[in-house]
Amino acid sequence: MVSEGMDMTSFYTAAPLCSPSRAAMLSGRLPIRNGLYSDNAFGRNAYTPQDIVGGIASSEILLQELLRKGGYHTKLIGKWHLGHRAPYHPLKRGFNEWYGAPNVHFQYDGTTAPNIPVYKDQNMIGRFYEGIAINLTTGISEYTQHLGEEALEYISRRGRTGKPFFLYWNPDSTHAPSYASARFRGRSQRGTAYGDALIEVDDIVGKMLDLLVNHKLENDTLVVLTSDNGAALVSKREAGTNAPFLCGKQTTFEGGFRTPAFFWWPNKIPAGNASSQVGTQMDLFATFLDLAGLPMPRDRVYDSISLKPALMNGDLDLEKVVFFYRGNGLFAVRKGRFKMHLWTWRTPQEELKRGIDYCPNIHMDGIVSATQVNHTAEPILFDVDNDPEERYPIRPGNSPTIYETAVGYLKKVVEKHQQDLVPGKPALNYCDPAVENWAPPGCEDLDDCLPIPASKVVICDWPH
Amino acid sequence: MVSEGMDMTSFYTAAPLCSPSRAAMLSGRLPIRNGLYSDNAFGRNAYTPQDIVGGIASSEILLQELLRKGGYHTKLIGKWHLGHRAPYHPLKRGFNEWYGAPNVHFQYDGTTAPNIPVYKDQNMIGRFYEGIAINLTTGISEYTQHLGEEALEYISRRGRTGKPFFLYWNPDSTHAPSYASARFRGRSQRGTAYGDALIEVDDIVGKMLDLLVNHKLENDTLVVLTSDNGAALVSKREAGTNAPFLCGKQTTFEGGFRTPAFFWWPNKIPAGNASSQVGTQMDLFATFLDLAGLPMPRDRVYDSISLKPALMNGDLDLEKVVFFYRGNGLFAVRKGRFKMHLWTWRTPQEELKRGIDYCPNIHMDGIVSATQVNHTAEPILFDVDNDPEERYPIRPGNSPTIYETAVGYLKKVVEKHQQDLVPGKPALNYCDPAVENWAPPGCEDLDDCLPIPASKVVICDWPH
C-alpha cells in the first residue's frame, strides 16, 4: 500500500485501547467529549466489556450516519465494541449492513458470562466458540476468512451499482487469543498464531485492493489501513512489536498511541511517499467528509482536521495538536516536534503483581513507573521527532531555552483545551451482569438463550 | 544503496567495539584467534588506546595484504586503531597509501597524554585539535570533508588506471565527541552534531557512488557500507539508535553486535533486495577474496565464509555460526534462528556509578545486569528471527522441546569451537605511558615532538 500510496509516520489513535479509540474515530471527537470513558478513577482506561450498561451516546453523530445521509451505502464487517445492548446496535447507528460481533472473541463459560454472539445484520448466527469455531489448542478458526469473504462480496456487489459505499472492515484478529485459518496457520516465520493472523489479514487486504482494481474502482476509492492502539505488549510473543516506541497499549507513551497509517488511492494520492503530518484517527472523520463533499456538523466541538492537503499535495498543518488521555486523565500533549507529559504511568501495581506489564523490561525512574506520577509542576518534555523512543527527556537544567519555550506553549495549549472542554456524560461508569449477552436479540431462533441473572448494577472496576 | 543493491538484515560485527572488530574484519578471524583481545580479566572489552604496547600481530595475514599481492592498489582513509606504534603502521600492513590517524580523535592535554597525530602516508601532518581543527564548542570540523576529498581523488585517480583498487574508508565521525563540517552543522532535524555528521557521511558516500557511475566503474566495483559495532547508547542524543535491538555497543546483545550492512554492485547484486543470510564482517574477508578470484590462506582457521552465493543468487547458508565474545569471554552463540547466551552482562558496577550505561532504561532480571551472570548450566535462549529484540527468553519450562533441541545443538557448536580453539597471544594486555604519541614518526618535521616520559609497563585496566 505504501509503494502505491502514502505512509503517515506521525499518526496516532485517540486512546490507547479499542472502544474509546473507535468511538473517537467514528465521532471525530475525543472520548472525554463523546462520553466513551469513565471517571470512576482518575486516568483509568475503560472499554466496553459485555457487562457494561452504556455505549456510544445517541447524541453523538457518527461518520457512517453522515456518509449514509450523503448517499453512501454503509457496512460494518467485524467488531463493533461501542455498546452491545440493543440501543447501541450498529444497524441503529448508521450502518446499512453488519456482519460481526458487538464485542471481541473472549471465551466465556455460559455460567459466569456467556460467549459473545455473532450477527449477520439483525440475525444472530451463533456465538464465538459455539457455532463460530475458534480452536485455541490448534490456533485455527475460519472467522477471518468469513470476514474477508463478506468484504469481497460487498465490494463486488456495491461496486456494480456505481454508487458510493463506506466499508468499515474490523477483523477480530490479530487480537489475543490469536487464531488463523487452516490455510494460514503455521505459515509465519514467527511461528505463532499471531504471526499467521497477520499474514492472513495482509492477504485479505491485498485481495480487496486487487478487487477494487479489477472493478476499476481504484481511482474512486480511498483505502486506509490503521490500528486502534499500539501493540499489546502484555501478549508478549502473541503481540506485535512497537519498536522503536516506548511501552505499548494502555499507556500514553508513543507505544500506546502511535500507529501505522497507510493511505491508498491510486492517481489521487502520490505513490511511494511518507508524510510527517501529525494526525489522529479522529481526523479520518473530517477527511472522509471533506473528500465526500459533505459538511461537518456545526453544533459541537471537533478534534478533527481534514488531511486532504497532506494526502493530495503534501502540505503540512503544523498547528495540529494531539491530546493523550488515559480515561478521563489528560496525561500528555503534542504539538509540532515536542510532547509534554503532565502525568505518567506504567502499569498499576495490582496488575504488575499478576504478571501484566504494559512496559516490559523498561525502567525509567519516575517516568515509567507503577504509580501515577504527577509532573504538572515540572512536565516531562520529549522531542518526539528526534527522539521518538522517548528515552532522553529535555530537562530544564540542560536545555533551559528549549524547555521553557516548548513547555510554555504546550501549557497554553492545555489551558485553552481545558477551559473550552465540556466533558461528555461518562458511558462506562456502570456495570451489570444482567446486561451480558445471556439472551441477545435473535437467540430464540437459534435456541441459544441463557437465563438472565438478577440485575445488580455496580460501579465498574477499571484496574488499567 | 538498498534500492540499488542488497540489505543484509542479519549482519554482525565480530566484537562490540572498534579495535577488535576491525582486526577481525581485516584478518577474517575472531579476536580470540588474531590476538586483538585481553585476558587480564574475564569478559572485559579491550581496544587500543594510545598507551597500549601491542597491536595487530605480524603473524596475521590481512585482507589488504592479500588483495595487494593479487594486483589491487590499496588505500586506508581515516582511522586505523590496530596499533599506533611504528611496527603496526598501516603502510607496513599492506596499504599502499594512508590518510588518517592511528587512533580516534579523543582530546588530550599534552601533559597526561598527547593529542593523536594525523598522517598522509608516512608524513605526520598535525595532531587532532592542533592543526587538525575540531571545535567542540561549535561542533564544527572539516576533517570528514578532507577524508571525503581524499576518497574522491583516489577513486578518480585509480579509476583512470583501469587497474583494481581496494579503498577502506573509515571516517572518525560519527564517533563521539561529534562534529560536522560548517556546511553540514545545523542541518539535521536531530539538532545535534551527531545528526549532522550522519548527513555529512551520507552525502560523501553518495558522491562516491556517483563518481563510480561517472567513471563507468559501477559494474566492476562492490561497495559495502557497515558499522564496526552497535550504536554507542552511552552517548545518548549524540548516538544513533539501536531500536529494535537490546542494549548497545560494549554488550553481546543484538544491540552491540547487529549492524547495518548494505551491498551495492549494480548489475551484479540484484537491486532492492533484503537477505536474511546470517553473516559477519569477518565474512567480508572470504567474500572479497572470492570475488577477486584469490585463494584463502590454508595455514590457519578462518571465521569467514564467502557471501557471494547470498549476494548474487540469494542462496542461504543456514549452517553459518556467529560467536559473541566480550574480550576473552564467549558470551553467546547464534546458529539459524536461535541465539544462546552463556554469560550476560550489562555494564560494570564501577561504570554505572559514573553514569555510563550500555543498556539505558532496560531492566531484565538476571539477564541485563550490572554483574556478570553465568548461565552455562541453563543458558538463556532467544529466537532472534522472531524476537530480534531479545525480550522473550524461551524457557525450558514453557517450551521444553524447542529449548532442549536448540540448546542441545548450540552447546555442541560451542563444544566443538572450544576444542578446536587455539587462542592468539593477547596483544592488549600491557600498557605503558611511554608509548603514547609523544614523539610519533614525523613529529620532528612539524616541530611537534613532546618529551617522552619514563617507561612504566603496567597491566592494562579494562573496566568495560
Side-chain angles (χ1 to χ4, degrees):
Chain A
M1 289 182 73
V2 174
S3 68
E4 297 174 4
M6 184 174 276
D7 181 2
M8 284 227 177
T9 56
S10 294
F11 206 74
Y12 293 91
T13 63
L17 85 171
C18 58
S19 300
S21 105
R22 287 159 186 248
M25 183 176 80
L26 294 181
S27 69
R29 288 149 51 80
L30 281 165
I32 193 75
R33 295 193 217 273
N34 71 37
L36 237 278
Y37 73 103
S38 164
D39 62 4
N40 289 342
F42 176 78
R44 298 283 164 147
N45 286 317
Y47 70 114
T48 52
Q50 61 172 328
D51 59 352
I52 202 83
V53 175
I56 185 72
S58 60
S59 56
E60 289 299 310
I61 306 167
L62 303 185
L63 176 59
Q64 66 274 15
E65 295 171 328
L66 294 169
L67 289 172
R68 189 175 176 181
K69 277 185 198 155
Y72 281 73
H73 193 274
T74 59
K75 180 159 193 162
L76 165 63
I77 297 177
K79 185 180 144 184
W80 174 239
H81 225 178
L82 297 179
H84 63 93
R85 292 170 56 229
Y88 307 109
H89 198 281
L91 294 192
K92 293 180 180 147
R93 296 313 305 268
F95 284 109
N96 292 104
E97 301 180 11
W98 180 34
Y99 180 93
N103 308 53
V104 77
H105 61 280
F106 294 123
Q107 192 171 17
Y108 300 101
D109 57 9
T111 309
T112 53
N115 278 331
I116 309 293
V118 176
Y119 285 88
K120 186 170 176 70
D121 299 323
Q122 54 281 87
N123 303 312
M124 176 173 161
I125 58 170
R127 295 180 187 265
F128 283 128
Y129 304 96
E130 300 166 15
I132 311 296
I134 300 175
N135 186 325
L136 294 181
T137 309
T138 60
I140 290 175
S141 170
E142 299 303 314
Y143 185 60
T144 308
Q145 285 299 313
H146 297 328
L147 299 182
E149 288 154 14
E150 279 286 321
L152 298 174
E153 185 277 330
Y154 181 74
I155 292 169
S156 288
R157 171 160 52 87
R158 296 311 307 178
R160 280 193 297 270
T161 66
K163 291 180 185 162
F165 63 89
F166 171 63
L167 170 60
Y168 178 35
W169 193 70
N170 271 339
D172 271 48
S173 75
T174 56
H175 197 294
S178 296
Y179 60 79
S181 69
R183 195 156 65 83
F184 285 90
R185 186 72 183 101
R187 272 184 54 180
S188 71
Q189 203 184 46
R190 195 179 184 94
T192 62
Y194 172 85
D196 301 336
L198 204 60
I199 293 177
E200 182 167 29
V201 168
D202 180 67
D203 181 79
I204 293 169
V205 171
K207 284 194 168 71
M208 287 190 215
L209 299 183
D210 288 346
L211 190 63
L212 289 169
V213 173
N214 289 342
H215 283 268
K216 301 196 195 314
L217 293 170
E218 77 273 24
N219 293 340
D220 296 313
T221 310
L222 168 62
V223 181
V224 182
L225 180 66
T226 187
S227 165
D228 54 0
N229 44 248
L233 299 183
V234 287
S235 301
K236 298 183 177 170
R237 290 189 71 230
E238 285 292 343
T241 171
N242 274 328
F245 304 122
L246 188 63
C247 298
K249 182 176 176 178
Q250 301 277 11
T251 77
T252 47
F253 298 106
E254 294 291 284
F257 271 76
R258 190 95 75 113
T259 64
F262 307 128
F263 291 74
W264 181 92
W265 195 357
N267 301 318
K268 291 282 172 52
I269 294 174
N273 276 283
S275 172
S276 61
Q277 172 65 51
V278 173
T280 78
Q281 286 173 349
M282 294 179 284
D283 296 330
L284 298 181
F285 189 92
T287 306
F288 288 4
L289 293 178
D290 187 9
L291 294 171
L294 299 170
M296 296 269 283
R298 297 194 177 181
D299 64 338
R300 63 196 70 202
V301 174
Y302 279 95
D303 302 286
S304 185
I305 63 165
S306 173
L307 299 172
K308 188 180 167 189
L311 291 170
M312 303 297 195
N313 312 318
D315 292 341
L316 295 185
D317 177 350
L318 301 175
E319 297 301 306
K320 176 70 186 174
V321 171
V322 181
F323 294 104
F324 300 75
Y325 273 88
R326 194 154 163 166
N328 65 334
L330 177 59
F331 272 46
V333 59
R334 172 179 179 174
K335 185 179 174 188
R337 64 197 305 161
F338 294 105
K339 179 175 173 184
M340 176 178 80
H341 291 266
L342 297 169
W343 287 81
T344 54
W345 200 15
R346 175 207 205 121
T347 313
Q349 199 68 53
E350 62 264 39
E351 299 207 288
L352 276 178
K353 279 181 196 154
R354 291 166 50 209
I356 293 168
D357 190 350
Y358 305 134
C359 306
N361 303 325
I362 292 288
H363 186 77
M364 291 173 76
D365 273 337
I367 298 178
V368 179
S369 47
T371 49
Q372 293 176 353
V373 184
N374 185 348
H375 303 282
T376 310
E378 187 176 300
I380 305 291
L381 185 72
F382 290 105
D383 177 343
V384 285
D385 264 355
N386 290 340
D387 175 26
E389 299 178 65
E390 292 173 295
R391 301 298 161 98
Y392 307 117
I394 296 168
R395 304 285 191 190
N398 298 340
S399 308
T401 314
I402 294 174
Y403 185 86
E404 276 167 35
T405 307
V407 167
Y409 78 67
L410 287 166
K411 276 189 167 174
K412 276 187 194 147
V413 166
V414 169
E415 262 170 44
K416 187 172 181 323
H417 171 69
Q418 288 176 329
Q419 274 165 12
D420 300 349
L421 181 68
V422 181
K425 185 169 172 260
L428 306 179
N429 275 3
Y430 296 102
C431 287
D432 182 351
V435 304
E436 298 191 23
N437 298 288
W438 305 103
C443 66
E444 301 85 357
D445 299 343
L446 291 175
D447 196 19
D448 194 9
C449 306
L450 293 167
I452 302 174
S455 176
K456 187 184 159 194
V457 180
V458 293
I459 293 177
C460 298
D461 177 41
W462 301 112
H464 321 292
Chain B
M1 288 183 74
V2 174
S3 68
E4 298 174 4
M6 183 172 277
D7 181 2
M8 284 227 174
T9 57
S10 292
F11 205 76
Y12 293 91
T13 63
L17 84 172
C18 59
S19 301
S21 103
R22 287 160 187 247
M25 182 176 81
L26 294 181
S27 68
R29 289 149 52 82
L30 281 166
I32 193 76
R33 295 193 217 274
N34 70 38
L36 236 277
Y37 73 103
S38 163
D39 61 4
N40 289 341
F42 177 76
R44 298 282 165 146
N45 286 317
Y47 68 115
T48 51
Q50 59 171 330
D51 59 352
I52 202 84
V53 175
I56 186 72
S58 59
S59 55
E60 289 299 308
I61 306 166
L62 303 185
L63 176 60
Q64 65 274 13
E65 293 171 330
L66 294 170
L67 289 172
R68 189 174 174 180
K69 277 186 199 156
Y72 281 72
H73 193 273
T74 59
K75 179 159 193 163
L76 165 63
I77 298 177
K79 187 180 142 182
W80 172 240
H81 225 177
L82 297 179
H84 62 94
R85 292 171 56 229
Y88 306 110
H89 198 282
L91 293 192
K92 293 180 180 148
R93 295 314 304 270
F95 285 108
N96 292 104
E97 300 179 13
W98 180 35
Y99 179 93
N103 308 53
V104 76
H105 61 279
F106 294 122
Q107 193 172 16
Y108 300 100
D109 56 10
T111 309
T112 54
N115 279 330
I116 308 291
V118 176
Y119 284 87
K120 186 169 176 71
D121 299 322
Q122 55 282 82
N123 303 312
M124 176 173 161
I125 58 171
R127 294 180 188 263
F128 283 127
Y129 305 95
E130 300 166 15
I132 310 296
I134 301 175
N135 187 324
L136 295 181
T137 309
T138 60
I140 291 175
S141 171
E142 300 304 313
Y143 185 60
T144 309
Q145 285 301 313
H146 298 327
L147 300 182
E149 287 153 16
E150 279 287 321
L152 298 175
E153 185 276 333
Y154 181 73
I155 292 169
S156 289
R157 171 160 52 89
R158 296 310 309 177
R160 279 194 297 270
T161 67
K163 292 180 184 162
F165 63 89
F166 171 63
L167 171 60
Y168 178 34
W169 193 71
N170 270 340
D172 271 48
S173 76
T174 57
H175 196 297
S178 295
Y179 60 79
S181 69
R183 194 157 65 84
F184 286 90
R185 185 73 184 101
R187 272 185 55 180
S188 71
Q189 203 183 45
R190 195 178 184 97
T192 61
Y194 172 84
D196 302 336
L198 204 59
I199 293 177
E200 183 168 27
V201 168
D202 180 67
D203 180 80
I204 293 170
V205 171
K207 284 195 169 73
M208 287 191 215
L209 300 183
D210 288 346
L211 190 64
L212 289 169
V213 172
N214 289 343
H215 283 267
K216 302 195 193 315
L217 294 170
E218 75 272 25
N219 294 339
D220 295 312
T221 311
L222 167 62
V223 181
V224 181
L225 180 65
T226 187
S227 166
D228 55 0
N229 44 247
L233 299 184
V234 287
S235 301
K236 299 185 178 171
R237 290 189 72 231
E238 285 292 344
T241 171
N242 273 328
F245 304 121
L246 188 62
C247 300
K249 181 177 175 177
Q250 300 276 12
T251 77
T252 47
F253 299 107
E254 293 291 283
F257 270 76
R258 190 97 74 114
T259 65
F262 308 128
F263 291 73
W264 181 92
W265 195 358
N267 301 318
K268 292 282 172 54
I269 294 174
N273 276 284
S275 172
S276 61
Q277 172 65 51
V278 173
T280 78
Q281 285 172 349
M282 292 179 285
D283 296 331
L284 298 181
F285 188 92
T287 305
F288 287 5
L289 292 178
D290 187 9
L291 294 171
L294 299 170
M296 296 270 282
R298 296 193 176 181
D299 63 339
R300 62 197 71 203
V301 173
Y302 278 95
D303 301 287
S304 184
I305 62 165
S306 174
L307 299 172
K308 187 180 169 190
L311 291 169
M312 302 296 195
N313 313 317
D315 293 341
L316 295 186
D317 177 349
L318 300 175
E319 297 300 307
K320 176 70 188 174
V321 171
V322 181
F323 294 104
F324 300 75
Y325 274 88
R326 194 158 164 165
N328 65 333
L330 178 59
F331 272 47
V333 59
R334 173 179 179 172
K335 185 180 175 188
R337 65 197 304 163
F338 294 105
K339 178 176 172 183
M340 177 176 80
H341 291 267
L342 297 169
W343 287 82
T344 55
W345 198 15
R346 177 206 205 121
T347 314
Q349 199 67 53
E350 62 265 38
E351 299 207 290
L352 277 178
K353 279 182 196 155
R354 291 167 50 211
I356 293 168
D357 190 350
Y358 306 134
C359 307
N361 304 324
I362 291 288
H363 187 78
M364 293 173 76
D365 273 337
I367 298 177
V368 179
S369 46
T371 49
Q372 293 178 354
V373 184
N374 185 348
H375 302 281
T376 309
E378 187 177 297
I380 305 291
L381 185 71
F382 290 105
D383 177 344
V384 285
D385 264 355
N386 291 340
D387 175 25
E389 298 178 66
E390 292 174 294
R391 301 298 161 99
Y392 306 118
I394 296 168
R395 304 285 190 187
N398 298 339
S399 308
T401 314
I402 294 174
Y403 185 87
E404 276 167 34
T405 307
V407 168
Y409 77 68
L410 287 167
K411 276 188 167 175
K412 276 186 194 147
V413 166
V414 169
E415 263 171 45
K416 187 171 182 322
H417 171 69
Q418 288 176 330
Q419 275 166 10
D420 299 349
L421 180 69
V422 181
K425 182 169 176 259
L428 306 179
N429 275 3
Y430 297 102
C431 288
D432 182 352
V435 305
E436 299 192 22
N437 297 287
W438 304 102
C443 66
E444 301 85 358
D445 297 341
L446 291 175
D447 196 18
D448 194 8
C449 307
L450 293 167
I452 302 173
S455 177
K456 187 184 161 193
V457 179
V458 294
I459 293 176
C460 297
D461 177 41
W462 301 111
H464 321 293

